[in-house]
Amino acid sequence: MLLAIALNRVVRARRNPVEVGIGNLVRLGGRVRRDGFVQVAGELWRARSSGGAQLVPGDHVTVEAVEDDLRLVVGSTHRNGRT
């Protein structure tokens, strides 16, 4: 009986879509920290600005893409909470 319950849960878990992945970062907001790092979803990521502008600590950004080397491309910068 216990084995049947465990197998049932395994089958249900395999049917659920994957909710973790770097693709889910696109369109999330974050905040620039220091030295080219951005905090998004509670994690620090290396990042660069899509327009080539310097990332300033405290600025709010939006993830536009994730590069092959896992560097985030961010845009829509708001300087320290101001537009």
PDB file of all heavy atoms in Angstrom, residues 27-43:
ATOM      1  N   ARG A  27      11.933  39.101 -17.755  1.00  0.00           N
ATOM      2  CA  ARG A  27      10.845  39.989 -17.355  1.00  0.00           C
ATOM      3  C   ARG A  27      10.744  40.174 -15.840  1.00  0.00           C
ATOM      4  O   ARG A  27       9.874  40.894 -15.375  1.00  0.00           O
ATOM      5  CB  ARG A  27       9.504  39.558 -17.940  1.00  0.00           C
ATOM      6  CG  ARG A  27       9.425  39.744 -19.446  1.00  0.00           C
ATOM      7  CD  ARG A  27       8.042  39.504 -19.981  1.00  0.00           C
ATOM      8  NE  ARG A  27       7.601  38.125 -19.858  1.00  0.00           N
ATOM      9  CZ  ARG A  27       7.805  37.187 -20.763  1.00  0.00           C
ATOM     10  NH1 ARG A  27       8.434  37.479 -21.866  1.00  0.00           N
ATOM     11  NH2 ARG A  27       7.363  35.964 -20.580  1.00  0.00           N
ATOM     12  N   LEU A  28      11.607  39.525 -15.072  1.00  0.00           N
ATOM     13  CA  LEU A  28      11.610  39.767 -13.628  1.00  0.00           C
ATOM     14  C   LEU A  28      12.390  41.039 -13.329  1.00  0.00           C
ATOM     15  O   LEU A  28      13.317  41.399 -14.040  1.00  0.00           O
ATOM     16  CB  LEU A  28      12.258  38.605 -12.873  1.00  0.00           C
ATOM     17  CG  LEU A  28      11.478  37.302 -12.792  1.00  0.00           C
ATOM     18  CD1 LEU A  28      12.265  36.283 -11.968  1.00  0.00           C
ATOM     19  CD2 LEU A  28      10.096  37.502 -12.204  1.00  0.00           C
ATOM     20  N   GLY A  29      12.000  41.701 -12.266  1.00  0.00           N
ATOM     21  CA  GLY A  29      12.712  42.893 -11.835  1.00  0.00           C
ATOM     22  C   GLY A  29      13.823  42.545 -10.862  1.00  0.00           C
ATOM     23  O   GLY A  29      13.810  41.487 -10.244  1.00  0.00           O
ATOM     24  N   GLY A  30      14.780  43.434 -10.763  1.00  0.00           N
ATOM     25  CA  GLY A  30      15.883  43.221  -9.844  1.00  0.00           C
ATOM     26  C   GLY A  30      16.507  44.546  -9.458  1.00  0.00           C
ATOM     27  O   GLY A  30      16.083  45.608  -9.909  1.00  0.00           O
ATOM     28  N   ARG A  31      17.526  44.472  -8.633  1.00  0.00           N
ATOM     29  CA  ARG A  31      18.222  45.665  -8.183  1.00  0.00           C
ATOM     30  C   ARG A  31      19.713  45.461  -8.368  1.00  0.00           C
ATOM     31  O   ARG A  31      20.255  44.418  -8.017  1.00  0.00           O
ATOM     32  CB  ARG A  31      17.917  45.944  -6.717  1.00  0.00           C
ATOM     33  CG  ARG A  31      18.666  47.190  -6.207  1.00  0.00           C
ATOM     34  CD  ARG A  31      18.210  47.587  -4.862  1.00  0.00           C
ATOM     35  NE  ARG A  31      16.922  48.259  -5.043  1.00  0.00           N
ATOM     36  CZ  ARG A  31      16.274  48.866  -4.074  1.00  0.00           C
ATOM     37  NH1 ARG A  31      16.747  48.876  -2.868  1.00  0.00           N
ATOM     38  NH2 ARG A  31      15.122  49.452  -4.310  1.00  0.00           N
ATOM     39  N   VAL A  32      20.355  46.480  -8.921  1.00  0.00           N
ATOM     40  CA  VAL A  32      21.798  46.436  -9.120  1.00  0.00           C
ATOM     41  C   VAL A  32      22.473  46.491  -7.758  1.00  0.00           C
ATOM     42  O   VAL A  32      22.133  47.323  -6.920  1.00  0.00           O
ATOM     43  CB  VAL A  32      22.271  47.615 -10.008  1.00  0.00           C
ATOM     44  CG1 VAL A  32      23.780  47.580 -10.176  1.00  0.00           C
ATOM     45  CG2 VAL A  32      21.565  47.589 -11.354  1.00  0.00           C
ATOM     46  N   ARG A  33      23.443  45.605  -7.550  1.00  0.00           N
ATOM     47  CA  ARG A  33      24.183  45.579  -6.283  1.00  0.00           C
ATOM     48  C   ARG A  33      25.544  46.242  -6.462  1.00  0.00           C
ATOM     49  O   ARG A  33      25.690  47.412  -6.308  1.00  0.00           O
ATOM     50  CB  ARG A  33      24.319  44.148  -5.762  1.00  0.00           C
ATOM     51  CG  ARG A  33      22.993  43.577  -5.315  1.00  0.00           C
ATOM     52  CD  ARG A  33      22.407  44.443  -4.219  1.00  0.00           C
ATOM     53  NE  ARG A  33      21.100  43.940  -3.813  1.00  0.00           N
ATOM     54  CZ  ARG A  33      20.257  44.610  -3.098  1.00  0.00           C
ATOM     55  NH1 ARG A  33      20.545  45.819  -2.701  1.00  0.00           N
ATOM     56  NH2 ARG A  33      19.094  44.110  -2.777  1.00  0.00           N
ATOM     57  N   ARG A  34      26.553  45.519  -6.830  1.00  0.00           N
ATOM     58  CA  ARG A  34      27.887  46.097  -6.997  1.00  0.00           C
ATOM     59  C   ARG A  34      28.667  45.302  -8.035  1.00  0.00           C
ATOM     60  O   ARG A  34      28.364  44.147  -8.301  1.00  0.00           O
ATOM     61  CB  ARG A  34      28.658  46.107  -5.680  1.00  0.00           C
ATOM     62  CG  ARG A  34      28.821  44.726  -5.097  1.00  0.00           C
ATOM     63  CD  ARG A  34      29.718  44.722  -3.868  1.00  0.00           C
ATOM     64  NE  ARG A  34      29.687  43.442  -3.194  1.00  0.00           N
ATOM     65  CZ  ARG A  34      30.219  42.318  -3.633  1.00  0.00           C
ATOM     66  NH1 ARG A  34      30.826  42.293  -4.790  1.00  0.00           N
ATOM     67  NH2 ARG A  34      30.140  41.209  -2.943  1.00  0.00           N
ATOM     68  N   ASP A  35      29.676  45.929  -8.599  1.00  0.00           N
ATOM     69  CA  ASP A  35      30.610  45.269  -9.512  1.00  0.00           C
ATOM     70  C   ASP A  35      29.924  44.469 -10.624  1.00  0.00           C
ATOM     71  O   ASP A  35      30.332  43.351 -10.942  1.00  0.00           O
ATOM     72  CB  ASP A  35      31.564  44.345  -8.738  1.00  0.00           C
ATOM     73  CG  ASP A  35      32.364  45.087  -7.688  1.00  0.00           C
ATOM     74  OD1 ASP A  35      32.702  46.263  -7.931  1.00  0.00           O
ATOM     75  OD2 ASP A  35      32.647  44.501  -6.634  1.00  0.00           O
ATOM     76  N   GLY A  36      28.852  45.011 -11.206  1.00  0.00           N
ATOM     77  CA  GLY A  36      28.175  44.333 -12.307  1.00  0.00           C
ATOM     78  C   GLY A  36      27.280  43.181 -11.895  1.00  0.00           C
ATOM     79  O   GLY A  36      26.950  42.329 -12.710  1.00  0.00           O
ATOM     80  N   PHE A  37      26.881  43.135 -10.647  1.00  0.00           N
ATOM     81  CA  PHE A  37      25.977  42.099 -10.172  1.00  0.00           C
ATOM     82  C   PHE A  37      24.593  42.681  -9.919  1.00  0.00           C
ATOM     83  O   PHE A  37      24.452  43.817  -9.471  1.00  0.00           O
ATOM     84  CB  PHE A  37      26.495  41.450  -8.879  1.00  0.00           C
ATOM     85  CG  PHE A  37      27.600  40.474  -9.118  1.00  0.00           C
ATOM     86  CD1 PHE A  37      28.920  40.900  -9.149  1.00  0.00           C
ATOM     87  CD2 PHE A  37      27.328  39.135  -9.323  1.00  0.00           C
ATOM     88  CE1 PHE A  37      29.947  40.010  -9.367  1.00  0.00           C
ATOM     89  CE2 PHE A  37      28.349  38.234  -9.549  1.00  0.00           C
ATOM     90  CZ  PHE A  37      29.664  38.664  -9.572  1.00  0.00           C
ATOM     91  N   VAL A  38      23.578  41.869 -10.212  1.00  0.00           N
ATOM     92  CA  VAL A  38      22.179  42.253 -10.035  1.00  0.00           C
ATOM     93  C   VAL A  38      21.515  41.181  -9.184  1.00  0.00           C
ATOM     94  O   VAL A  38      21.743  39.988  -9.398  1.00  0.00           O
ATOM     95  CB  VAL A  38      21.470  42.369 -11.402  1.00  0.00           C
ATOM     96  CG1 VAL A  38      19.993  42.644 -11.233  1.00  0.00           C
ATOM     97  CG2 VAL A  38      22.109  43.454 -12.248  1.00  0.00           C
ATOM     98  N   GLN A  39      20.694  41.605  -8.235  1.00  0.00           N
ATOM     99  CA  GLN A  39      19.951  40.651  -7.424  1.00  0.00           C
ATOM    100  C   GLN A  39      18.565  40.476  -8.023  1.00  0.00           C
ATOM    101  O   GLN A  39      17.793  41.430  -8.136  1.00  0.00           O
ATOM    102  CB  GLN A  39      19.836  41.118  -5.980  1.00  0.00           C
ATOM    103  CG  GLN A  39      19.187  40.076  -5.090  1.00  0.00           C
ATOM    104  CD  GLN A  39      19.261  40.446  -3.627  1.00  0.00           C
ATOM    105  OE1 GLN A  39      19.648  41.555  -3.268  1.00  0.00           O
ATOM    106  NE2 GLN A  39      18.881  39.523  -2.769  1.00  0.00           N
ATOM    107  N   VAL A  40      18.283  39.243  -8.445  1.00  0.00           N
ATOM    108  CA  VAL A  40      16.994  38.897  -9.041  1.00  0.00           C
ATOM    109  C   VAL A  40      16.512  37.615  -8.374  1.00  0.00           C
ATOM    110  O   VAL A  40      17.277  36.643  -8.265  1.00  0.00           O
ATOM    111  CB  VAL A  40      17.115  38.675 -10.568  1.00  0.00           C
ATOM    112  CG1 VAL A  40      15.790  38.261 -11.167  1.00  0.00           C
ATOM    113  CG2 VAL A  40      17.648  39.924 -11.247  1.00  0.00           C
ATOM    114  N   ALA A  41      15.282  37.601  -7.927  1.00  0.00           N
ATOM    115  CA  ALA A  41      14.675  36.419  -7.295  1.00  0.00           C
ATOM    116  C   ALA A  41      15.529  35.904  -6.143  1.00  0.00           C
ATOM    117  O   ALA A  41      15.687  34.701  -5.959  1.00  0.00           O
ATOM    118  CB  ALA A  41      14.426  35.326  -8.329  1.00  0.00           C
ATOM    119  N   GLY A  42      16.133  36.816  -5.378  1.00  0.00           N
ATOM    120  CA  GLY A  42      16.901  36.434  -4.203  1.00  0.00           C
ATOM    121  C   GLY A  42      18.306  35.937  -4.474  1.00  0.00           C
ATOM    122  O   GLY A  42      19.007  35.533  -3.555  1.00  0.00           O
ATOM    123  N   GLU A  43      18.739  35.946  -5.733  1.00  0.00           N
ATOM    124  CA  GLU A  43      20.077  35.467  -6.093  1.00  0.00           C
ATOM    125  C   GLU A  43      20.860  36.572  -6.774  1.00  0.00           C
ATOM    126  O   GLU A  43      20.287  37.438  -7.436  1.00  0.00           O
ATOM    127  CB  GLU A  43      19.975  34.276  -7.057  1.00  0.00           C
ATOM    128  CG  GLU A  43      19.239  33.084  -6.493  1.00  0.00           C
ATOM    129  CD  GLU A  43      20.035  32.332  -5.453  1.00  0.00           C
ATOM    130  OE1 GLU A  43      21.277  32.393  -5.494  1.00  0.00           O
ATOM    131  OE2 GLU A  43      19.421  31.694  -4.589  1.00  0.00           O
TER     132      GLU A  43
END
